[in-house]
Amino acid sequence: MDFTIEFTSGGNHGHQLKDALGGLTIGRLFNLNYVHTPYEYLDYFGLGFKYPIVERADRKLKYKNIVRVEGPLWCGIDDYEELLQYFEKALPKRSNDTLVILENALRIHPFQTIPWYLEGRTTRNIFAEIQQEVSQNFNELHSLKINKFKSPVEVAVHINRGTDYDREKFPQHFTSPFAVRYMFDMDYYENIILHIEKAYGTGNVCFNIYTEKQNAEDILQRFDKRKHTRVIIGSDREEKNYDQIHSIFRSFVEADILVCSNSSFSVMCAYFRKGRKTVYHPHLQLRYLPEPNYIKTEDDGSLDIALLQQEITVDIFPFYSQGNIVQ
C-alpha cells in the first residue's frame, strides 16, 4: 500500500521537516511504500529524491481509494503498544489500489524507534535507515563529501530566538530545559563552546553562531567580539527567505560539529549528519541518540569531552546494550 505526506502543520522551516521525517517513520513502521508529493520548500532537502512522484492532480487516476489520516501527533508516541493501537484504528486495510495521505502533523519521530529496536520490538533499525537515507540523498543532491575534521575544526552553533524569546507571551519557553522550545541562556552555549575548545585546543576550533535578527541582542553582546567566533544574523523567520534557510541548513550539515538548539530546524538537521558529530540537549523531541556520534549536554551546557574526542563510528548501535538506553 502506498502513502504520501501533505505538509499542513503551518510551519515553513523545521516543523515541515518534522512532518516529513515523522511521516516517513510511520510508513516504515507499517511497511508502506512512499510516493512523493512535490513540495518546493522541502524538495531542497532531498526528501523525494529517487522516490516515485505522484502529483496531486494524478492521484485519482492512479488510485481507486484515497484515505486521509490526520494528526496532530506533535510529539509522536513513545509507548510501542500505544503506537500499534493508534494506527490499527487510523490506517485502512492494506490494498494495492489505496493511497494513504498522512497530514496535519502526523508524526512518529525517528528517535522514538531507537528503544523499540534495541528492545527487539521492531526488527528494522528505522532510525539508522532514515539517517542513512536522508544524509546520503542530501549529500548526493548537493554534491557534498564527508571529510575528516577540517583545520581548524568548524563548529556551527544554532541559537534559537525570534518571537519565541518573548517571555511574557511564551512563559512556557522558560520553564524547563526538557521542554520543546526552551530558551537556553548564553551561559549554556558558552559552556558548550568552552568544552569543545578544551577537547580540541583553543585556536584549533572556529565557531559560526547562527540566529535571527529578532531578539539577537544578548547573543551579539556575548559572542560578537569573541576570538575564533563569528555571529551570523539571518532574516527573521516570518520573512520566509527560503534561499537563506536552505543555505544555513547546508552549513549545518557540512559543519564538523553541529550544536543544536531546541529548535525544530536544527533538531531535524541532526538526522542529516551521518558521519558527523552533533551536540544536543535531550528533550521531548530529541532523545536516545547514540554516542559518540551524538553527544548530549547537561542543563548547564557541560558535556563529555572524551566523547567529543572519540572517533566517529560506522555502526553506532553497539555502544548500547539492551536495557541500557541513554535518556
Side-chain angles (χ1 to χ4, degrees):
M1 185 161 65
D2 292 350
F3 82 103
T4 193
I5 303 163
E6 287 196 356
F7 307 100
T8 53
S9 67
N12 285 290
H13 300 71
H15 281 280
Q16 302 231 15
L17 282 167
K18 278 184 175 176
D19 288 356
L21 269 64
L24 288 175
T25 302
I26 293 168
R28 298 202 179 203
L29 282 166
F30 295 97
N31 296 309
L32 306 178
N33 305 310
Y34 182 61
V35 296
H36 184 63
T37 299
Y39 187 82
E40 184 178 1
Y41 167 68
L42 283 176
D43 286 351
Y44 172 85
F45 302 96
L47 296 169
F49 198 50
K50 300 181 180 179
Y51 279 105
I53 292 176
V54 178
E55 300 277 356
R56 285 179 174 85
D58 296 332
R59 288 171 179 170
K60 291 183 179 180
L61 298 175
K62 184 173 175 60
Y63 298 99
K64 182 179 179 181
N65 303 306
I66 298 176
V67 179
R68 294 183 177 271
V69 181
E70 296 191 17
L73 280 178
W74 300 109
C75 301
I77 297 174
D78 282 326
D79 183 84
Y80 187 69
E81 297 303 323
E82 182 183 343
L83 167 90
L84 295 180
Q85 291 173 10
Y86 183 97
F87 284 100
E88 183 179 353
K89 296 178 181 178
L91 293 175
K93 291 183 179 180
R94 301 189 73 88
S95 170
N96 290 333
D97 58 6
T98 295
L99 175 67
V100 175
I101 300 174
L102 306 181
E103 61 182 352
N104 192 25
L106 188 68
R107 309 165 177 166
I108 299 297
H109 298 286
F111 78 83
Q112 291 177 306
T113 69
I114 293 174
W116 302 337
Y117 172 71
L118 296 176
E119 294 163 2
R121 292 174 174 266
T122 59
T123 58
R124 296 173 64 181
N125 185 345
I126 292 171
F127 166 82
E129 286 182 19
I130 288 179
Q131 182 203 46
Q132 170 68 30
E133 178 182 306
V134 298
S135 297
Q136 181 174 318
N137 286 353
F138 190 89
N139 290 344
E140 184 176 341
L141 187 62
H142 299 290
S143 302
L144 306 186
K145 293 183 179 180
I146 299 176
N147 302 311
K148 291 185 177 179
F149 279 3
K150 305 176 187 71
S151 182
V153 176
E154 185 179 290
V155 181
V157 182
H158 184 215
I159 302 182
N160 187 31
R161 282 297 182 260
T163 56
D164 293 324
Y165 199 64
D166 188 331
R167 189 183 294 265
E168 291 186 5
K169 189 174 181 180
F170 302 108
Q172 68 273 24
H173 294 177
F174 298 83
T175 55
S176 167
F178 297 96
V180 177
R181 298 188 185 184
Y182 177 76
M183 290 292 147
F184 288 100
D185 59 27
M186 292 301 97
D187 288 344
Y188 171 81
Y189 290 103
E190 184 153 36
N191 208 6
I192 292 174
I193 288 171
L194 291 172
H195 277 71
I196 293 174
E197 284 184 327
K198 188 172 182 180
Y200 299 106
T202 302
N204 295 326
V205 190
C206 65
F207 298 90
N208 291 321
I209 297 175
Y210 295 85
T211 192
E212 301 169 77
K213 286 183 291 187
Q214 192 170 21
N215 292 313
E217 293 80 8
D218 57 340
I219 300 169
L220 287 167
Q221 183 177 357
R222 179 67 71 96
F223 296 113
D224 195 38
K225 291 182 170 52
R226 192 182 188 279
K227 289 184 178 180
H228 315 297
T229 304
R230 181 170 61 137
V231 179
I232 301 167
I233 304 292
S235 304
D236 292 332
R237 69 191 70 177
E238 288 79 7
E239 295 180 30
K240 298 182 180 180
N241 186 338
Y242 293 142
D243 288 341
Q244 184 183 87
I245 293 165
H246 290 156
S247 176
I248 291 171
F249 191 88
R250 175 170 174 158
S251 297
F252 287 176
V253 173
E254 288 186 292
D256 295 317
I257 300 171
L258 170 66
V259 178
C260 294
S261 70
N262 279 19
S263 157
S264 299
F265 190 57
S266 54
V267 161
M268 288 296 99
C269 189
Y271 293 109
F272 289 75
R273 291 179 47 81
K274 181 175 173 59
R276 298 174 173 95
K277 281 190 181 285
T278 302
V279 174
Y280 75 105
H281 187 281
H283 63 291
L284 190 60
Q285 295 188 15
L286 200 66
R287 289 167 279 156
Y288 314 134
L289 302 185
E291 300 166 351
N293 299 21
Y294 295 92
I295 302 166
K296 64 178 182 177
T297 71
E298 301 297 333
D299 295 353
D300 65 353
S302 59
L303 49 86
D304 190 330
I305 290 175
L307 287 175
L308 271 173
Q309 296 171 327
Q310 191 171 326
E311 290 289 331
I312 295 169
T313 61
V314 176
D315 187 349
I316 53 183
F317 278 100
F319 286 84
Y320 290 111
S321 60
Q322 188 168 341
N324 187 31
I325 300 169
V326 176
Q327 300 296 323

